[in-house]
Structures are given as C-alpha cells and as structure tokens.
Amino acid sequence: MKYFLLVLMLTAIYSCNTKSTKQVNKERLEKLADRSCRATSIRKQRFVLADNIRFMQDSLSKAKNKADSARFQSRLAEYLKQKDILLKTSLALADTIRMQLDSLLPYSDKAAQKQFTASLDSILRSKGCDK
C-alpha cells in the first residue's frame, strides 16, 4: 500500500510539473511570437526608410537651388538618424530572438522542431504577423 501511494504521489507531482512546463513554454512561445512580429514591423519600416533615403539622395542630386538643397540635406540627415535607431533596435531584437530560440527550440528531435515551428507559425498567423 505504501508503494502504491508513493507511485501515485510521484505521478501526481510529475503531471503537475509537466503542465506547468507546457504553460511556461506556451508563454515563452507567445513572447517569441510578439518579438517576431516586432521584428517584421521593423524590417518593413527599414525598407520604407531605405526608399525614402534613396529618393532624397536622388532629389538632392537634382536640386536646382540652395534652398532645395538645404531642405533635402536636412531631411536626409533625419532619415539617416532614423536609420541608425532602427538598425540598433533591429540588431538588439534579432539577438534577443536568437537567444530565445536557442533556449526553446529542441535540437535533437526533428519531430519536436517541426511541431515547434508549426506552433510558432500558427501564433504568428493568429496575430496577423505572418511573413
């Protein structure tokens, strides 16, 4: 009888730990999805900013007077500041995502990797952040 109770208690403890681990992993997966959405948004902002910089550089090269040239240079300087800020933010976010992936992604089990990827893709689609 003592062994039966011991096995029953160990099973109960193990099942509680498994559920809490699944809940923690779900929360961590949600955080990863949020960060991935932010990274996608920043990437799109960087593309728009790069187009604006190219347009402003073209406009600057075709400026006809000093007033236009000064205005274009001023705008270009603002865009370049934004570029630096977005780049730093993007790199920091990429490092955070990489570290989080390293801690979450099971490397040894291919089936678990596919399940992880499918779960992450599902969350990203539900948030409207799919690439």
Side-chain angles (χ1 to χ4, degrees):
M1 184 69 170
K2 289 180 185 179
Y3 293 112
F4 178 72
L5 288 175
L6 180 64
V7 170
L8 186 61
M9 285 180 54
L10 289 175
T11 305
I13 291 170
Y14 177 75
S15 67
C16 288
N17 286 339
T18 304
K19 289 179 183 177
S20 66
T21 302
K22 286 181 182 179
Q23 182 63 29
V24 167
N25 284 341
K26 178 71 173 170
E27 290 170 4
R28 291 174 70 193
L29 195 60
E30 286 284 337
K31 286 182 183 177
L32 179 64
D34 289 339
R35 288 181 176 132
S36 295
C37 283
R38 278 188 46 216
T40 301
S41 173
I42 289 172
R43 186 188 75 216
K44 289 176 183 178
Q45 289 174 12
R46 287 180 64 199
F47 285 144
V48 169
L49 186 60
D51 288 341
N52 289 341
I53 289 172
R54 282 191 291 275
F55 176 75
M56 201 51 57
Q57 287 171 336
D58 288 344
S59 298
L60 184 61
S61 68
K62 296 176 185 176
K64 301 200 187 243
N65 56 42
K66 285 190 176 191
D68 286 343
S69 179
R71 187 169 38 100
F72 293 149
Q73 284 178 344
S74 167
R75 251 192 231 159
L76 184 59
E78 289 175 25
Y79 288 152
L80 293 175
K81 285 179 189 176
Q82 288 176 7
K83 175 187 166 194
D84 290 339
I85 293 168
L86 281 177
L87 179 62
K88 288 176 185 175
T89 304
S90 178
L91 291 174
L93 190 56
D95 285 342
T96 304
I97 289 170
R98 182 189 48 78
M99 288 188 298
Q100 192 173 7
L101 274 173
D102 287 344
S103 71
L104 283 175
L105 190 62
Y107 287 104
S108 58
D109 187 7
K110 295 292 181 188
Q113 287 178 359
K114 287 183 181 180
Q115 181 183 9
F116 174 84
T117 303
S119 297
L120 183 60
D121 288 344
S122 173
I123 292 171
L124 288 172
R125 273 192 303 279
S126 71
K127 292 179 179 280
C129 299
D130 50 345
K131 300 168 188 169

